[in-house]
Amino acid sequence: MASISDSETTNRGSMWELEQNLDQPMDEEATQLKNMYTEKKFSSILLLRLAFQSLGVVFGDLGTSPLYVFYNIFPHGVDEDEDVIGALSLIIYTLTLIPLMKYVFVVLRANDNGQGGTFALYSLLCRHAKVSTIPNQHKTDEELTTYSRQTYEENSLAAKVKRWLEGHAYKKNCLLILVLIGTCTAIGDGILTPAISVLSASGGIRVQNQNMSTDVVVIVAVVILIGLFCMQHYGTDKVGWLFAPLVLLWFILIGSVGVVNIHKYNNSVLKAYNPIYIFRYFKRGKSEIWTSLGGVMLSITGTEALYADLCHFPVLAIQIAFTLVVFPCLLLAYTGQAAYIIDHKDHVADAFYRSIPGTAVVIVMLVTTFLMVPVMLLVWKSHWILVVIFLVLSLTVELPYFTACINKVDQGGWVPLVIAITFFIIMYVWHFCTVKRYEFEMHSKVSMAWILGLGPSLGLVRVPGIGFVYTELASGVPHIFSHFITNLPAIHSVVVFVCVKYLPVYTVPVEERFIMKRIGPKNYHMFRCVARYGYKDIHKKDEDFEKMLLDRLLVFVRLESMMDGYSDSEDFTMMEQKAERSTRALLTEKAGSNTMSSIGDMSYSSQDSIMPAKSPLAGNSLTRYSSQTFGDEQEFLNRCKDAGVVHILGNTVVQARRDSGIVKKVAVNYVYAFLRKLCRENSVIFNVPHESLLNVGQIYYI
């Protein structure tokens, strides 16, 4: 009895060791993917061409802001010249501090491999600190060429900030909420800004015809907007080439008109370039002074587009276009308008068409400011004094504008806020239920030891064919698989667990997208594949996901056979050369033979590939053995592929518990359920044929 008990204890220990090794991240497989990414280099001529194109895509909103800024600053007319000069001084230094100094020279540098916007900042933070609320990060992700990150000294300020952010879950949630607020307000602003700009531009036709109805102006604006949006599908390149000459001509004209107005009407407005007039403007103490900041804020409408549209153009191209063309022309335009208004105080309403106050703009800027603080500390490793200077300067300008815009919420500023709140609720509910689904998958995953204990047949009939089992887990066996095999009497001869994973990078090169490894002994014919995507990767309709999986499986079997077939460094070099020719992916060199650890009558290698233990062979006999094994398994896989491929997808329905509150029930049972119906399923995204699809349903109560 004692010997039996010892044997059982040994077996349990061996199975535990087996499970631990099988659930390890695929480090070895990830390092075998060669770095294929090269940073883009731009010639001087190409940079100038891209800077020219950016005028037609990025700077439209900033360029049209002179149409309505002064009217919103002085909606009731102008009383004194000093008011115009003070407002102009505010506009000049707002344009200098926010678009030029903050965005063009600081924020644009905080890009994610050329990607800009709030999500780009968040992805940078997620790579440099464990702040993601979905804990699916693995070391294998860091092997990606687009997964750049910094390392820190133990006692550095960046390391302390990193530990502070990772310390509690509420800090991660607060960061996520901040990101969602920035994203949603940007959407709210983006919905209204084009309409405001076009409507303001169309209002100019009433200047010479005061009897024209407002309805005519609105109809003209609608026609223009429809035409503009119809052109979007032609792509950034064609749209940029079409509008860049027009926008460049526009900037030259408004700048030239500004110079003429300064010379013709009142060159005393040049005093506004002295910032002392800002102080005098506020010192006057009028009640309208503070609320006029909402109108000044409109002068930087579209600034966030400098950062959000970074994916289309390199940083230097946008810097060149703004510094050499946009910024000086805007200064001249506003200065010339101020000179005209001083001499024609009753023409403010005639010169500019009244617009909706665009409130969400300043909120997006505040969010960007707050997100830049951890980015400067963790990513750039900036000195804390520089961080404080950036924060103080940004908030000194933006907070007064924020308070001024709050006062205009009842005048139309509520529109983008309502849009932003609606999108925030949608995004937060989706994220909350997605996290709960992932936690359910993690807590209910099946022990690999239990699966292997069923034997090569898994306790079922292994029918010819290949079964792709989709899961959100990059390790372990998903619950849907145990649910499947306990309710059906058969399983396919080859089983591949497929994890589709989205990483905090903008793209994953195709050469590095798939990681494949074997789980279990070879006669189990079980594999795991992790398909990795970035947040900018698009699943093309003509993309054959099934074919890519099958090709990757055959390549893995071939490489695995070659790894097994060579034992010394000289033979391994030959293997690398063959792998390069056959797969166009270089394998990292590995000296010596694989370290084998015995578990019962099975053994596993350092590649986490479990295989029956064989007597050591050497030289040509080993090569012949491996080739024969590969040929047999490849033939077996081809037969299974010909027999049919089935995609097994888990359909997890999330519902609120009966004792949940009314808000949670509405959010989960109705809002999330409605969003799930609207979204495309994985079977549609990856073009899975309907006849090859098998859904396994389960309900999860949260």
Side-chain angles (χ1 to χ4, degrees):
M1 294 295 293
S3 61
I4 296 176
S5 178
D6 293 341
S7 175
E8 290 178 352
T9 302
T10 302
N11 288 336
R12 283 198 297 269
S14 300
M15 295 304 288
W16 181 85
E17 291 180 18
L18 174 63
E19 182 176 351
Q20 293 299 309
N21 282 280
L22 287 172
D23 280 344
Q24 290 291 326
M26 296 184 281
D27 299 337
E28 189 74 20
E29 289 77 10
T31 56
Q32 293 175 359
L33 296 174
K34 180 64 178 176
N35 184 344
M36 302 294 292
Y37 177 81
T38 56
E39 185 178 358
K40 293 182 179 179
K41 301 294 184 181
F42 299 97
S43 64
S44 300
I45 296 178
L46 181 58
L47 271 176
L48 292 176
R49 194 191 78 173
L50 292 173
F52 172 71
Q53 277 187 280
S54 69
L55 291 173
V57 177
V58 179
F59 301 106
D61 293 329
L62 272 173
T64 55
S65 58
L67 292 169
Y68 46 78
V69 168
F70 273 112
Y71 174 78
N72 283 273
I73 297 175
F74 305 111
H76 305 296
V78 179
D79 296 328
E80 300 180 23
D81 296 352
E82 288 290 319
D83 292 339
V84 179
I85 294 176
L88 175 61
S89 188
L90 268 172
I91 293 173
I92 291 171
Y93 285 98
T94 299
L95 283 170
T96 302
L97 291 175
I98 300 299
L100 181 66
M101 298 187 66
K102 176 186 173 181
Y103 277 88
V104 173
F105 291 120
V106 179
V107 175
L108 288 185
R109 293 180 56 237
N111 61 84
D112 181 16
N113 290 302
Q115 305 298 310
T118 307
F119 277 151
L121 289 176
Y122 187 58
S123 69
L124 284 174
L125 293 176
C126 288
R127 295 207 299 268
H128 289 80
K130 296 179 181 178
V131 294
S132 176
T133 54
I134 300 180
N136 63 347
Q137 302 91 351
H138 289 129
K139 276 189 166 296
T140 54
D141 302 335
E142 300 175 12
E143 301 291 335
L144 285 172
T145 53
T146 53
Y147 200 100
S148 57
R149 56 173 297 177
Q150 301 285 344
T151 56
Y152 317 105
E153 296 181 1
E154 183 67 22
N155 297 322
S156 64
L157 178 60
K160 294 178 182 178
V161 173
K162 180 177 181 291
R163 288 193 294 268
W164 183 81
L165 287 173
E166 297 173 350
H168 298 88
Y170 79 89
K171 298 175 184 176
K172 301 177 183 179
N173 289 327
C174 289
L175 183 62
L176 175 66
I177 290 174
L178 185 64
V179 170
L180 292 181
I181 290 174
T183 303
C184 295
T185 49
I187 294 174
D189 171 59
I191 291 175
L192 291 181
T193 299
I196 293 173
S197 300
V198 174
L199 190 61
S200 301
S202 303
I205 63 179
R206 296 186 62 194
V207 175
Q208 299 298 328
N209 189 358
Q210 298 293 332
N211 297 325
M212 181 178 291
S213 172
T214 304
D215 295 337
V216 176
V217 177
V218 173
I219 292 174
V220 171
V222 170
V223 172
I224 294 174
L225 284 170
I226 293 175
L228 290 175
F229 282 106
C230 288
M231 296 179 183
Q232 294 296 313
H233 73 280
Y234 288 108
T236 305
D237 185 64
K238 293 183 179 179
V239 172
W241 279 116
L242 176 63
F243 286 96
L246 301 177
V247 176
L248 178 61
L249 180 62
W250 168 261
F251 279 114
I252 293 175
L253 285 176
I254 63 174
S256 302
V257 171
V259 172
V260 172
N261 287 340
I262 295 170
H263 176 72
K264 182 178 180 180
Y265 295 106
N266 197 326
N267 58 14
S268 65
V269 293
L270 296 176
K271 296 185 297 184
Y273 286 83
N274 185 348
I276 192 65
Y277 286 93
I278 297 177
F279 175 74
R280 292 183 181 179
Y281 183 66
F282 287 109
K283 191 178 179 181
R284 297 174 68 84
K286 293 183 179 180
S287 59
E288 298 86 2
I289 296 296
W290 193 258
T291 56
S292 69
L293 290 178
V296 178
M297 183 67 201
L298 293 176
S299 65
I300 54 176
T301 299
T303 299
E304 191 67 22
L306 298 178
Y307 188 45
D309 291 341
L310 195 60
C311 57
H312 302 298
F313 305 97
V315 173
L316 189 55
I318 294 180
Q319 289 175 333
I320 291 173
F322 184 85
T323 307
L324 299 183
V325 178
V326 179
F327 183 67
C329 289
L330 285 177
L331 292 184
L332 291 173
Y334 284 116
T335 306
Q337 287 179 9
Y340 177 84
I341 291 173
I342 287 177
D343 278 11
H344 304 82
K345 294 183 177 61
D346 57 338
H347 286 185
V348 176
D350 294 333
F352 312 105
Y353 189 80
R354 187 170 185 173
S355 63
I356 301 174
T359 305
V361 176
V362 69
I363 298 178
V364 179
M365 293 181 179
L366 283 172
V367 169
T368 301
T369 298
F370 291 129
L371 289 178
M372 279 297 298
V373 173
V375 168
M376 293 177 73
L377 290 172
L378 296 178
V379 182
W380 295 351
K381 300 182 182 178
S382 302
H383 196 278
W384 66 270
I385 294 179
L386 295 177
V387 178
V388 171
I389 292 174
F390 171 81
L391 185 62
V392 170
L393 286 177
S394 298
L395 295 182
T396 301
V397 178
E398 294 168 357
L399 284 180
Y401 285 134
F402 176 73
T403 56
C405 288
I406 292 299
N407 295 328
K408 287 198 170 186
V409 169
D410 59 342
Q411 302 175 23
W414 59 270
V415 177
L417 292 183
V418 169
I419 296 173
I421 291 172
T422 303
F423 277 100
F424 176 83
I425 293 174
I426 292 173
M427 290 183 180
Y428 192 80
V429 168
W430 180 268
H431 178 79
F432 172 78
C433 295
T434 301
V435 171
K436 292 301 181 182
R437 283 183 58 197
Y438 184 81
E439 291 176 351
F440 169 73
E441 292 280 351
M442 284 292 296
H443 295 154
S444 61
K445 68 179 181 179
V446 181
S447 168
M448 178 59 70
W450 177 75
I451 294 293
L452 296 180
L454 298 176
S457 66
L458 301 181
L460 305 168
V461 177
R462 301 294 292 267
V463 297
I466 299 178
F468 290 116
V469 182
Y470 290 80
T471 173
E472 296 183 6
L473 303 178
S475 63
V477 178
H479 178 71
I480 61 167
F481 185 70
S482 64
H483 185 67
F484 179 80
I485 64 177
T486 54
N487 287 275
L488 293 176
I491 191 65
H492 300 89
S493 301
V494 177
V495 176
V496 181
F497 296 105
V498 181
C499 171
V500 180
K501 184 177 178 182
Y502 293 89
L503 305 180
V505 296
Y506 80 100
T507 186
V508 176
V510 178
E511 298 84 1
E512 304 177 41
R513 178 153 295 161
F514 296 96
I515 304 179
M516 184 79 66
K517 80 169 184 179
R518 186 189 299 274
I519 53 177
K522 283 191 174 181
N523 57 347
Y524 278 60
H525 301 296
M526 297 174 65
F527 303 87
R528 186 188 313 286
C529 178
V530 178
R532 304 177 294 182
Y533 291 86
Y535 55 83
K536 293 283 287 185
D537 287 329
I538 300 176
H539 302 285
K540 299 179 181 179
K541 292 183 179 180
D542 57 348
E543 188 176 49
D544 195 340
F545 188 72
E546 178 183 299
K547 183 178 183 300
M548 290 192 295
L549 287 176
L550 292 172
D551 291 344
R552 194 59 182 163
L553 179 60
L554 291 174
V555 168
F556 169 77
V557 171
R558 179 167 64 252
L559 295 181
E560 182 191 50
S561 177
M562 297 174 71
M563 292 283 288
D564 294 340
Y566 295 90
S567 59
D568 54 44
S569 58
E570 181 179 355
D571 287 342
F572 192 79
T573 304
M574 296 171 57
M575 181 272 292
E576 280 190 315
Q577 295 173 352
K578 289 185 178 180
E580 181 179 6
R581 290 193 299 268
S582 61
T583 67
R584 292 181 298 175
L586 297 175
L587 298 176
T588 54
E589 187 171 356
K590 175 181 174 184
S593 59
N594 296 333
T595 304
M596 308 296 291
S597 301
S598 176
I599 299 181
D601 61 344
M602 296 180 294
S603 58
Y604 65 93
S605 70
S606 58
Q607 286 93 10
D608 280 346
S609 299
I610 312 301
M611 62 200 72
K614 296 289 183 180
S615 59
L617 300 174
N620 294 332
S621 60
L622 179 58
T623 305
R624 289 194 298 271
Y625 166 75
S626 298
S627 300
Q628 183 180 0
T629 303
F630 164 66
D632 293 343
E633 188 164 19
Q634 185 184 35
E635 183 180 354
F636 175 76
L637 291 174
N638 287 328
R639 289 201 306 269
C640 292
K641 182 178 70 172
D642 295 337
V645 177
V646 175
H647 299 260
I648 304 171
L649 277 73
N651 187 13
T652 303
V653 179
V654 179
Q655 292 186 355
R657 294 190 180 96
R658 292 184 178 179
D659 58 348
S660 300
I662 184 66
V663 175
K664 187 175 182 180
K665 286 183 177 179
V666 171
V668 177
N669 296 347
Y670 296 97
V671 177
Y672 181 72
F674 177 71
L675 294 175
R676 286 275 293 178
K677 291 181 180 179
L678 292 180
C679 293
R680 297 186 302 168
E681 297 182 353
N682 283 336
S683 59
V684 178
I685 295 175
F686 299 111
N687 301 304
V688 176
H690 184 72
E691 61 274 10
S692 302
L693 179 63
L694 179 62
N695 277 309
V696 180
Q698 53 187 349
I699 300 178
Y700 171 50
Y701 293 94
I702 61 176

